[in-house]
Amino acid sequence: MPRTEVKKIEQNVANMWKLHSDFGVEKEPENVFMAIISNRYALVKGTQMLRDELQLAFNSPSYRHSEHWANLGDGIMECGADLTTPSVLTTCGYTMCGDRICQSLALKRYQTMVAGRFGSMTESGETKPELFFATGGGTDSGPTLAHVTVGHALDARIKDNLYSGNADNFFLCNIDVCTHCGHLDIGSENKADFLGNTYAKVGTIYGLAQESELRDPRPCCGAIVGMITNFNMHNPVHVRLRSDLGEANWNYLAKNDIKADDGSPVKFLIAAAIIAIQGMRNTVDALGPGGELDERGLGHMTAQVQVNNVEGKETLLYCARSTVYGGVIMEQGLGTDATKYQAVMDGHNVRFLYDGKKDFPIVTRTYAMAGAKVAPAPVQQVANEMSAMSVDGSKGKKNKNKQAGQDDSAKPVVAAAVPAVAEAGEAAN
């Protein structure tokens, strides 16, 4: 089927990128999740969303012979979706550190609010998102995360039926990459952190967490804090996290005590944000340039930091969002150069500026679609329009050489397939 016949997905991507998102600010989890939900509903607008396993009854006549479903007879087949109606099959994956401090309200709300809407559902009605608990959060392997999340959702026969049913049918892969960082409010007391530094009347220390009023503060995330303060080259977790953080960033954060405008130390929060963003980019590269998604596949990814407070009263730092589709990757949010982060405290919550900015342009990079010489014209047009659009939706000047949150050492992942799009930005960094 010619790629240019698929129109709805392209319009939905364009409409999603017109929605405003606020990055780099500690917020209640529900506020961040609603921003993600609105983006994903924009991507599936005008389609029949397939996430219930029962809707896949079209795929296997073996249901008729299943002892488990025998009492339903042919009724189970009536649950199968009509794929001649524009349809989208969705799945949802999530990563987080296995630290027990993370297994509380924010994760439960995520499973209910986000995964409960876009993750797969069992025949008995339970949500079954892909959940990955890499030590320190982020990703153990972006390519593996992408491969597993797509492969578990898109069986060969299901894909064949989905794609042949209607020219507008597509697959939506949603993945949220999350790290975490402690948030300890000091108040008017003098307290010493785990490094022996004493902070007098400083509002907040990032990198320390107190699970309960009955417990002492501890490093959080311990893996990220340990990787920066006491790197062990024989510890594979330290090696992985340092690789995602980047050598220049590791040296900068290890040698400097980065503080917010009120003196609150924030370097471990910066590290957690960069590791989440890099994990998102690694996975995006596997979905698009790596070939996990085909010409009917759309990826939507986010990077977040769960900020752990006493007794599970978490906030979330929404770091970045990205889509990958049709030879074009779009991204918006904070970046991966630690020297460009500035922290401003609003009470006991942080707002990060990046390169002096609190609003971030939408930026693009391109990749060669497998089996395609050029990206389809509608995708090129959308990318050009979005890259020239400011955050509030008005037309602005193109940033021809760099993307938001990119340092000067950026390299394209794959040679640009669409020259007109490549002008809007080079590779992500």
Side-chain angles (χ1 to χ4, degrees):
M1 180 178 296
R3 175 65 184 78
T4 52
E5 291 182 11
V6 184
K7 303 292 187 183
K8 187 176 296 294
I9 184 174
E10 291 150 2
Q11 187 57 56
N12 285 357
V13 170
N15 290 338
M16 189 225 82
W17 280 110
K18 294 175 184 177
L19 298 177
H20 174 72
S21 288
D22 197 12
F23 302 103
V25 186
E26 271 189 88
K27 292 187 174 184
E28 294 293 325
E30 292 85 351
N31 290 339
V32 175
F33 295 152
M34 284 304 300
I36 296 170
I37 290 166
S38 66
N39 278 208
R40 290 175 182 170
Y41 271 132
L43 292 174
V44 302
K45 194 164 188 177
T47 68
Q48 169 185 222
M49 190 161 64
L50 310 178
R51 51 179 297 267
D52 186 343
E53 296 286 275
L54 292 178
Q55 291 176 291
L56 307 179
F58 61 78
N59 185 51
S60 179
S62 64
Y63 271 123
R64 298 174 184 269
H65 310 295
S66 167
E67 182 178 345
H68 182 66
W69 300 108
N71 62 322
L72 290 178
D74 289 341
I76 192 68
M77 300 302 292
E78 292 303 310
C79 298
D82 176 7
L83 298 183
T84 62
T85 299
S87 304
V88 54
L89 178 68
T90 71
T91 191
C92 187
Y94 179 76
T95 79
M96 172 50 80
C97 180
D99 189 330
R100 70 184 193 176
I101 201 171
C102 301
Q103 319 307 315
S104 52
L105 180 62
L107 180 57
K108 291 181 176 65
R109 290 288 172 85
Y110 174 85
Q111 292 174 327
T112 301
M113 293 182 66
V114 183
R117 288 181 167 94
F118 300 98
S120 297
M121 181 191 295
T122 69
E123 290 93 337
S124 58
E126 298 175 345
T127 300
K128 53 175 184 179
E130 305 278 357
L131 295 177
F132 302 87
F133 294 99
T135 304
T139 59
D140 278 324
S141 165
T144 300
L145 173 60
H147 180 75
V148 169
T149 306
V150 173
H152 288 176
L154 200 60
D155 301 8
R157 284 191 301 171
I158 291 175
K159 180 169 73 171
D160 290 344
N161 281 303
L162 178 69
Y163 289 5
S164 63
N166 188 292
D168 277 329
N169 290 355
F170 64 96
F171 170 62
L172 174 60
C173 178
N174 304 289
I175 302 178
D176 301 296
V177 176
C178 200
T179 57
H180 73 115
C181 182
H183 172 136
L184 183 65
D185 290 329
I186 300 301
S188 60
E189 303 176 23
N190 291 348
K191 287 192 177 181
D193 68 11
F194 54 93
L195 297 176
N197 299 318
T198 299
Y199 298 92
K201 299 182 180 180
V202 170
T204 303
I205 297 176
Y206 289 93
L208 281 178
Q210 191 172 3
E211 289 186 53
S212 163
E213 294 286 359
L214 304 177
R215 289 186 175 273
D216 294 334
R218 64 171 173 87
C220 180
C221 168
I224 292 176
V225 170
M227 177 268 298
I228 293 174
T229 61
N230 191 25
F231 178 75
N232 181 351
M233 64 181 295
H234 301 295
N235 183 331
V237 173
H238 283 193
V239 172
R240 171 180 62 83
L241 293 172
R242 181 165 169 171
S243 175
D244 282 348
L245 180 61
E247 281 302 298
N249 289 330
W250 184 87
N251 279 290
Y252 174 71
L253 295 174
K255 296 175 182 178
N256 295 281
D257 188 13
I258 315 304
K259 297 181 180 180
D261 59 339
D262 72 343
S264 297
V266 295
K267 71 177 178 180
F268 300 117
L269 183 59
I270 294 171
I274 291 172
I275 290 168
I277 296 166
Q278 189 58 54
M280 179 190 77
R281 290 178 179 170
N282 293 344
T283 311
V284 163
D285 288 344
L287 290 173
E292 293 295 342
L293 293 179
D294 61 17
E295 73 281 358
R296 295 280 200 101
L298 166 63
H300 181 267
M301 291 199 60
T302 70
Q304 310 160 37
V305 179
Q306 184 186 116
V307 184
N308 308 117
N309 291 279
V310 67
E311 295 180 346
K313 299 174 183 176
E314 298 98 345
T315 55
L316 281 180
L317 185 77
Y318 191 9
C319 301
R321 61 176 173 170
S322 181
T323 58
V324 52
Y325 167 71
V328 178
I329 294 169
M330 300 184 189
E331 183 182 321
Q332 185 181 35
L334 298 170
T336 56
D337 184 339
T339 66
K340 295 182 180 180
Y341 278 75
Q342 298 170 267
V344 178
M345 299 302 295
D346 180 7
H348 291 280
N349 291 337
V350 73
R351 173 182 283 277
F352 277 128
L353 307 181
Y354 190 83
D355 203 17
K357 302 179 180 67
K358 68 175 182 178
D359 292 323
F360 310 102
I362 299 161
V363 293
T364 64
R365 54 191 172 106
T366 60
Y367 62 94
M369 290 287 293
K373 295 181 179 179
V374 295
V379 179
Q380 175 176 314
Q381 180 180 353
V382 168
N384 288 340
E385 290 178 355
M386 292 299 102
S387 65
M389 188 172 288
S390 64
V391 175
D392 65 1
S394 62
K395 294 291 182 179
K397 294 182 179 179
K398 291 185 179 180
N399 176 0
K400 293 191 175 183
N401 296 316
K402 290 196 289 184
Q403 300 183 27
Q406 323 280 304
D407 70 27
D408 295 328
S409 63
K411 303 288 184 185
V413 175
V414 177
V418 188
V421 177
E423 290 182 2
E426 301 296 339
N429 199 346

